[in-house]
Amino acid sequence: MNTAMKLSGFALGLAAVFGAAYGVGQVAGPVTPAAESRHDDTMAGHGDTGHGTEAGASGRLPGGLLVSDRGYTLVPVTAPSGEFAFRIAGPDGGPVTAYDVAHDRRMHLIVARRDLSGFRHVHPEQDPDGTWRVAAPFGGPGVWRAFADFTPTGGEPLTLGVDVTVPGALTDRPLPPPATSTTVDGYTVTLAGSPQPGRTAQLTLTVSRDGAPVTDLEPYLGAYGHLVALRQGDLAYLHVHPDGAPGDGRTPPGPAVTFRAEVPSAGAYRLYLDFKHGGVVRTAEFTVLADAATAPTGSPAPTPNAPAPTGAAEHGEPGHGHD
Ligand SMILES: [Cu+2]
């Protein structure tokens, strides 16, 4: 199978899942509904017959909101101090031990603090009994959301989420304001495009260093970039992969990496781009507003559950863009 087609199809499939959830969000959440959004024909290619009927039939939520879905449950288990361990209980109640490889790994664990001020993407090791273990994935005290992103063999791709509290002094950090440029570790990453509720939007991230475009990005987990979006307020999870793949003969290794993403509602989202260069994986972060047309420029608060920040540069590290 053509890898590029497969990756593209995967990303579009995720977009379709978020689209399916959109109708649910309209009913359940304090979100701004987009007027009668319509799927384009790429969605039709996946057999989508319209988001209303699909949402009603599947009842699917965005990824990461559920600790148990379609018979699979994320179960944290007791672990030595600092380590995070969990297993996935399958439909028969026993631990799942067979997983498909997706993007080079059988298990992707993404952790983010509930205030979106910390993010890591790690790969746990599996014990023979099915328990997954990873050393110290959490970046400090607070309430963290742990997302297990995996495909059980014989099943569909799933993202389950669970809260994990790391004891210590808690500092709630406001979400940085929206920005289209950020820096991390001497790299500047710019964002073109903005997510649209209920519609597939193109997001292009361009990497430079010292003013020069980076044209030798390295493949990381089978792609030149991985983009995770988390919705402020409930951390609804979206993970998309770029158009094109390393070695497909048409995808240059930077400086631009293009994604197609569909978010389930208006609101504020934090985007995390993982990219690899010089043998090191770095994460560039952005705050973006979906449905920016209805939100005042510079305000990250288009919805009642998105409080305005009281200050900038609160995350205590370089790499966060601010206006
Ligand atoms: Cu991963």
Side-chain angles (χ1 to χ4, degrees), residues 103 105 107-110 121-123 220-221 239:
H103 301 283
R105 301 299 176 114
M107 176 64 70
H108 302 264
L109 184 75
I110 283 83
H121 176 169
V122 295
H123 300 104
Y220 171 55
L221 302 174
H239 184 173

Side-chain angles (χ1 to χ4, degrees), residues 2-5 8 242-253:
N2 179 293
T3 305
M5 290 292 292
S8 178
D243 285 351
D248 67 2
R250 63 179 182 88
T251 304

Side-chain angles (χ1 to χ4, degrees), residues 42-249:
T42 57
M43 293 304 185
H46 287 261
D48 189 354
T49 55
H51 72 261
T53 52
E54 189 186 3
S58 69
R60 292 285 302 278
L61 292 167
L65 295 177
L66 299 175
V67 73
S68 185
D69 192 14
R70 282 175 285 165
Y72 295 89
T73 303
L74 172 52
V75 184
V77 301
T78 303
S81 180
E83 183 178 290
F84 180 60
F86 63 96
R87 57 189 163 79
I88 303 297
D92 64 0
V96 176
T97 55
Y99 297 83
D100 290 348
V101 172
H103 301 283
D104 288 357
R105 301 299 176 114
R106 299 187 306 137
M107 176 64 70
H108 302 264
L109 184 75
I110 283 83
V111 302
R113 237 171 65 136
R114 275 265 174 210
D115 64 4
L116 299 174
S117 68
F119 175 91
R120 279 189 75 202
H121 176 169
V122 295
H123 300 104
E125 300 286 334
Q126 189 183 28
D127 292 346
D129 72 357
T131 301
W132 293 95
R133 299 179 183 279
V134 61
F138 305 111
V143 180
W144 292 76
R145 190 73 173 167
F147 301 95
D149 186 335
F150 62 95
T151 303
T153 297
E156 296 172 67
L158 266 179
T159 303
L160 302 176
V162 70
D163 280 351
V164 179
T165 301
V166 178
L170 179 62
T171 307
D172 194 41
R173 295 167 181 162
L175 191 66
T180 55
S181 180
T182 190
T183 59
V184 55
D185 237 0
Y187 293 81
T188 299
V189 182
T190 59
L191 168 67
S194 59
Q196 305 286 318
R199 285 172 38 190
T200 301
Q202 182 170 305
L203 304 175
T204 299
L205 292 122
T206 304
V207 183
S208 64
R209 185 164 67 162
D210 299 329
V214 173
T215 56
D216 56 349
L217 288 175
E218 295 157 11
Y220 171 55
L221 302 174
Y224 286 127
H226 291 256
L227 187 68
V228 168
L230 298 176
R231 180 168 62 184
Q232 187 186 36
D234 64 3
L235 275 61
Y237 170 96
L238 173 63
H239 184 173
V240 290
H241 297 100
D243 285 351
D248 67 2

